[in-house]
Amino acid sequence: MSSASTITTSNATASTSEEAGSAAQRDRRKRILDATFALATEGGFDAVQMRAVAEKADVALGTLYRYFPSKVHLLVSALARVLERTETNTRAHEVPGDTSADRVIFVMKRITRGMQGDPRLTEALTRAFMFADASVAQEIHVVGTHLTSILTHAIRPDADEATPEDVVIARVIGDVWLSALVAWVTGRSTAAQTGSHLETAIALLLRD
Amino acid sequence: MSSASTITTSNATASTSEEAGSAAQRDRRKRILDATFALATEGGFDAVQMRAVAEKADVALGTLYRYFPSKVHLLVSALARVLERTETNTRAHEVPGDTSADRVIFVMKRITRGMQGDPRLTEALTRAFMFADASVAQEIHVVGTHLTSILTHAIRPDADEATPEDVVIARVIGDVWLSALVAWVTGRSTAAQTGSHLETAIALLLRD
DNA sequence: GCCATAATAGGAACACGTTCCAGTTTGTGC
DNA sequence: GCACAAACTGGAACGTGTTCCTATTATGGC
């Protein structure tokens, strides 16, 4: 287990967006996701083996598949949980910075730093997200919504609702961020290059 | 087989960038890639099964793995072949458009239209590219090089060499394009939305 | 409390990517 | 041509994601 995990993966008083089912079901779902985080943090995508997740979560393999219909669904749901909490945190505190660009850079750098602190977990989540096919569209949409929301909030913290222009820019930044993450995960670029690329892109997009 | 394939996958007088080995070896490599295109065009990522590729290319499974050490290597190499030819075509003819943005939009729309004409092939290539891990870094780098070259050429057709600024912008556009492709492949956005998103991003990035 | 139904456990079975091996063919230096 | 190395064939075997099945255990209505 990594000693100084930077990505929050445990919850005290579970209060996630999508709640359904009995307490036992929520508990199983949580145990499964916890096991997923633990295995992914230790060994990345390959270490998240469905049999291992089931055993660690103390559920049968069939039960695991009842909750998450595939390994990719499982990992994308895990990514959604990470971003959901990031969104909550971001909205709870004021984002520092005088310009949109500064605030967005601040937020994205914090997320990126967090993910780079858990490289194997990041690899697992990123690759799953990118490998997803149409059947995972719903889970992916949740991830995209959180990401866009985090970014539009950083662009215009006072607004209740984001303008269409902001949403477009936020999406582009999200695209660049994901691509940068993929490049970093696959060893094509260093952490420094990733940060610099992201910063340049944000400066280009928010230069008004 | 799709009747009006828009992505060029056949070559008359093979003259690719990376040539090595005997004629027989080049022939095998070509047969393998041809089989890959055929299977991917018909059934997408899942239909590109290593045993099926080997059989269609008339080589043993072990030989296939000698040429391409994994399914992802195989598909990313196929993507590299597509982009290599696109680059050749793009550089052969003058790109229409008065501004950088117009030219880039023209080029990207042509590529995008081509890929959308072969949705299953596109799905196979895109997902493989995105799923690649560090061991595929070399093949991925080839893809990135071609893409950047296509884009910098569209931005500044007369220049012999791209400026660092152009390269950065080209990379960002490439990032957006890939993300848009993923969104389209996974059914999260329509072809029209993909084109519009790309166009907006390019306009934002090349608005000077 | 009792029944009907759904959910879970436990594990076998299957598919496909990947590895490995023994035997055969092809290519190369002499 | 010959000897040797490299490449190729055909196929078995293994690991992991996924599916399926039966027995057992919670759950909710009466």
Side-chain angles (χ1 to χ4, degrees):
Chain A
M1 228 176 292
S2 68
S3 51
S5 178
T6 7
I7 304 178
T8 310
T9 59
S10 59
N11 52 356
T13 48
S15 145
T16 50
S17 56
E18 294 177 273
E19 307 234 357
S22 67
Q25 283 174 334
R26 261 178 322 208
D27 189 51
R28 276 205 179 80
R29 189 186 157 87
K30 179 182 180 311
R31 285 210 311 274
I32 291 171
L33 284 175
D34 288 346
T36 304
F37 278 114
L39 289 168
T41 303
E42 276 180 47
F45 187 87
D46 291 341
V48 182
Q49 299 185 358
M50 299 305 268
R51 290 173 180 86
V53 172
E55 192 180 355
K56 193 151 198 150
D58 206 35
V59 298
L61 190 55
T63 306
L64 171 54
Y65 273 94
R66 160 175 276 274
Y67 280 79
F68 299 95
S70 79
K71 175 171 174 174
V72 170
H73 282 83
L74 174 60
L75 283 167
V76 174
S77 298
L79 176 59
R81 192 168 95 174
V82 169
L83 287 184
E84 183 191 332
R85 294 188 183 168
T86 304
E87 183 185 351
T88 306
N89 290 344
T90 305
R91 288 187 177 271
H93 311 290
E94 190 163 343
V95 180
D98 291 337
T99 65
S100 302
D102 285 348
R103 289 189 294 271
V104 171
I105 287 174
F106 176 85
V107 169
M108 292 316 290
K109 287 216 156 182
R110 193 170 55 184
I111 297 181
T112 305
R113 207 177 323 119
M115 301 202 91
Q116 286 169 347
D118 272 327
R120 291 172 202 284
L121 174 57
T122 303
E123 184 250 7
L125 300 182
T126 306
R127 288 182 64 203
F129 183 84
M130 289 308 193
F131 189 56
D133 69 1
S135 73
V136 202
Q138 189 180 334
E139 286 80 358
I140 289 187
H141 184 253
V142 173
V143 170
T145 303
H146 288 312
L147 190 52
T148 303
S149 166
I150 292 168
L151 288 168
T152 54
H153 177 70
I155 293 175
R156 214 179 297 272
D158 302 326
D160 287 346
E161 230 169 305
T163 69
E165 161 105 2
D166 289 350
V167 172
V168 168
I169 293 180
R171 288 223 180 110
V172 174
I173 295 173
D175 291 347
V176 176
W177 178 67
L178 279 171
S179 294
L181 217 49
V182 171
W184 176 69
V185 160
T186 57
R188 279 177 288 142
S189 70
T190 65
Q193 287 170 333
T194 304
S196 149
H197 179 58
L198 198 54
E199 200 165 336
T200 311
I202 293 171
L204 272 171
L205 287 162
L206 289 170
R207 60 184 140 168
D208 45 20
Chain B
M1 227 176 295
S2 67
S3 52
S5 178
T6 6
I7 303 178
T8 311
T9 59
S10 60
N11 52 355
T13 49
S15 144
T16 51
S17 56
E18 295 176 272
E19 306 235 357
S22 67
Q25 283 173 334
R26 260 174 320 192
D27 190 51
R28 276 205 181 80
R29 188 184 157 88
K30 180 182 179 310
R31 286 211 311 275
I32 291 171
L33 284 175
D34 288 346
T36 304
F37 278 113
L39 290 168
T41 303
E42 276 181 47
F45 187 87
D46 291 341
V48 182
Q49 299 185 358
M50 298 305 269
R51 290 174 179 87
V53 172
E55 191 180 356
K56 193 152 199 147
D58 206 35
V59 298
L61 190 56
T63 306
L64 171 54
Y65 273 94
R66 159 175 277 274
Y67 281 79
F68 299 95
S70 78
K71 175 171 174 173
V72 170
H73 282 84
L74 174 60
L75 284 168
V76 174
S77 298
L79 177 59
R81 192 168 98 173
V82 169
L83 286 184
E84 182 192 333
R85 295 189 182 166
T86 304
E87 183 186 352
T88 306
N89 289 344
T90 305
R91 288 188 177 271
H93 311 291
E94 189 163 344
V95 181
D98 292 336
T99 65
S100 302
D102 285 347
R103 289 188 294 271
V104 171
I105 287 173
F106 176 85
V107 170
M108 292 316 290
K109 286 215 156 183
R110 194 170 53 184
I111 298 181
T112 305
R113 206 177 324 119
M115 302 202 91
Q116 286 169 347
D118 272 327
R120 291 171 203 284
L121 173 58
T122 302
E123 183 249 7
L125 300 181
T126 306
R127 287 182 65 202
F129 183 84
M130 289 307 192
F131 189 56
D133 68 2
S135 73
V136 202
Q138 190 178 334
E139 285 81 358
I140 289 188
H141 184 251
V142 173
V143 170
T145 304
H146 288 312
L147 190 53
T148 304
S149 166
I150 292 168
L151 287 168
T152 54
H153 177 70
I155 292 175
R156 214 179 295 275
D158 302 326
D160 288 346
E161 231 169 304
T163 68
E165 161 104 3
D166 289 350
V167 172
V168 167
I169 292 179
R171 289 221 179 110
V172 173
I173 295 173
D175 291 347
V176 175
W177 178 66
L178 280 171
S179 294
L181 218 48
V182 171
W184 176 68
V185 160
T186 57
R188 279 176 289 142
S189 70
T190 66
Q193 287 170 333
T194 304
S196 149
H197 179 58
L198 199 53
E199 199 165 334
T200 312
I202 293 171
L204 273 171
L205 287 162
L206 291 169
R207 60 185 140 171
D208 44 20

